[in-house]
Amino acid sequence: MSVLVNADSKIIVQGFTGGEGTFHAGQMIDYGTNVVGGVTPGKGGTTHLDKPVFNTVKEAVDNTNADVSIIFVPPPFAADAIMEAAESGIKVIVCITEGIPTEDMVQVKEYLRGTDSRLIGPNCPGIITPEGAKVGIMPGFIHEKGIVGIVSRSGTLTYEAVDQLTKVGLGQTTAIGIGGDPIIGTTTKDAVELFMNDPETKGIVMIGEIGGNMEADAAKWIKENGTKPVVGFIAGATAPKGRTMGHAGAIIGGKADTAEAKKQIMSDCGIYVVDLPADIGKKMAEVLK
Amino acid sequence: MNLHEYQGKSILKDFGVMVPDGIIANSPEAAYEAAKEIQGRTGSKKWAVKAQIHAGGRGKGGGVKIASTLKEVRKFADNILGMMLVTPQTKKEGKLVRKVLVEQNIYYPGPEEVEEYYMSILLNRDVGRNMVMYSPRGGMNIEEVAEETPEEIFTEIIDPTVGLTGFQARRIAFNLGLSGVAFKQMTKFVVSLYKAYVGSDSTLFEINPVIKAADGKVYAADSKVVIDNNALYRHKDIAEMRDLSEEDPTEVEASNFDLNFVKLDGNVACMVNGAGLAMATMDMIKMSGGNPANFLDVGGTADAKRVEEAFRIILRDKSVEAILVNIFGGIVRCDRVAQGIVDAYKNIGDIKVPIIVRLQGTNAEEGKKLIDDSGLKVHSAIQLEEAAKLVNTMVN
């Protein structure tokens, strides 16, 4: 088992024929991911990377039974691409695009309410289930099939955790990059819940950063419902107040936004909080013993 | 992107939000003429002269004055223009004032008491919707109000499909204790304010205070407006309002090279790929006994040119005693980054500050070998702990 994506997932790529789409779809296919086609409006009927190209997501779904989509569409059109995927019945929508206007995402969030589509991202590295499917831009080779689920707001910090878990021999069930924007589809709590319900996942790594209440919400949920050990890390202890640190969502407004406040509430809720990202793998190995 | 008060107010006005009649001036003489013109239009017998800088608390630093005569307008403008205005939100040396906003006085006498309220519109991240946050305690720091009397802060969460509704606007006016003319004015005010917020793709509107004048009219007496950078492509007019003189010149330069850079006050600089890892690297510097001198995300394509630019920007800060490069190679190969570092080092020439390079991920060993064999004074590491220890040795 794993969560969200696996070897049976049928994946389409929106923005398939563009530079980013082409490169990363190629990498996904090389990893062994079941990419069944792509969408580029106006290029329907052609083939790209030996896969069929469709004009619309609806057409792609009708022809391939795709249930997962990954989006590499430029920011001005990305919100529309997400809604198109949802309207066509795609179950898991992974949006890699960085720089979508917040107001567009307010609309998207509203549009997705009442659909059974789950959005991952935007502004995220995607999802990977080792030996199953890579639906994202992460380096595949650092991953290894295993027993730890990872949820993270940051790309390279996720790779850091993955690498350590691989080296201590625990591996990963699935790693989910949920994205660094103020509005994202799947929250830390949502992802933790998925892992708690996945029988193969024995431990969970939760990587957060300054800004917002997602980690606190997840921590409170874990305290009430958690059945597996969770190792947590929060980036940004030295970040100044009021400045956006790279990710649009990484900004300290009030006291609850700080790394210190988040770490406190996480450890109060029984999460094993580490102060250095270098300790994530070791800590997980220790608590899973 | 932050706007000046006068720029924010021009957006508000375009959407029908009532703001005091005002004119921007960059000399005492222009301020004098502006006041005269405002008097002609409004009959105002007093004027506010307000320093325009990107920082709050301007009044506390002497950047806001009320003039009772035209001559006084000129005098105050003369005092304020060119001053280094220090407020609780500026650095200790303050900010140079280049412009003043001259405005009609809205604290004019009339049948009712003048009242001040607080109002802001911002994103509620928990629900993914915008909200109006408001309080009858205007003119105060809202964080203080939140601590002292949280029951005096109200919110209305807005459904994006219908916008701010009539009943919500009325509830706001009722909660602020309004009736009669002022009640109607306030409902109109808040509806227009929300339209302005969405219409300008803002991420923050803070109007503190909102004034109920003595005749029941409701004005935005101040404006703090932050625009969503990601939406500027569809607001060319607003994009042109960017005032580069208000920003850190190094950060502006970095942004021209697509480097995400934030200047800090420490002694150990860092260069990292990815925002989360960059923050974690700053934290690691602190735990190793140093202080981060910056946040710098070089992004997914850390090629030689960007690495070189990043080095040049970092090295301009004379308090930097060491540089930590932390790259997790994914799609970017570590040997490429290592070559970039070696090339940049040679191109820049005489770098006196020790450099620690930690490369992990794709081709990390090859990258380390390239650096170790380069003959440069660069310390290489693969594990994070090694890098942390090296930082510790450098700063102690």
Side-chain angles (χ1 to χ4, degrees), chain A residues 83-95:
Chain A
M83 293 188 282
E84 185 184 0
E87 198 262 351
S88 310
I90 295 284
K91 294 286 173 288
V92 176
I93 305 165
V94 179
C95 185

Side-chain angles (χ1 to χ4, degrees), chain A residues 99-155:
Chain A
I100 304 177
T102 303
E103 201 48 47
D104 291 8
M105 284 309 301
V106 170
Q107 298 291 340
V108 166
K109 189 100 182 164
E110 207 53 40
Y111 188 92
L112 293 180
R113 279 183 228 271
T115 71
D116 56 356
S117 299
R118 172 187 289 284
L119 171 66
I120 307 286
N123 188 13
C124 76
I127 322 169
I128 184 167
T129 294
E131 293 179 21
K134 170 171 123 89
V135 188
I137 59 173
M138 63 290 279
F141 77 97
I142 59 171
H143 298 78
E144 199 168 273
K145 191 175 161 66
I147 57 166
V148 178
I150 304 175
V151 48
S152 170
R153 281 167 74 181
S154 142

Side-chain angles (χ1 to χ4, degrees), chain B residues 44-65:
Chain B
S44 189
K45 293 181 183 66
K46 287 184 180 178
W47 300 266
V49 182
K50 308 174 84 177
Q52 299 296 293
I53 57 166
H54 286 185
R58 291 166 296 164
K60 290 182 184 119
V64 178
K65 300 273 189 218

Side-chain angles (χ1 to χ4, degrees), chain A residues 6-39:
Chain A
N6 57 40
D8 298 327
S9 302
K10 293 188 184 69
I11 295 142
I12 53 162
V13 181
Q14 288 175 256
F16 191 31
T17 57
E20 292 280 301
T22 301
F23 176 75
H24 289 292
Q27 298 268 320
M28 285 162 55
I29 294 167
D30 288 349
Y31 189 77
T33 310
N34 185 22
V35 175
V36 296
V39 177

Side-chain angles (χ1 to χ4, degrees), chain A residues 102 104 110 160 238 243, chain B residues 129 228 234 251 283 358:
Chain A
T102 303
D104 291 8
E110 207 53 40
E160 196 75 62
T238 50
R243 297 296 310 264
Chain B
R129 288 179 167 187
D228 183 355
R234 56 189 178 204
E251 290 181 13
D283 299 348
R358 182 265 181 164

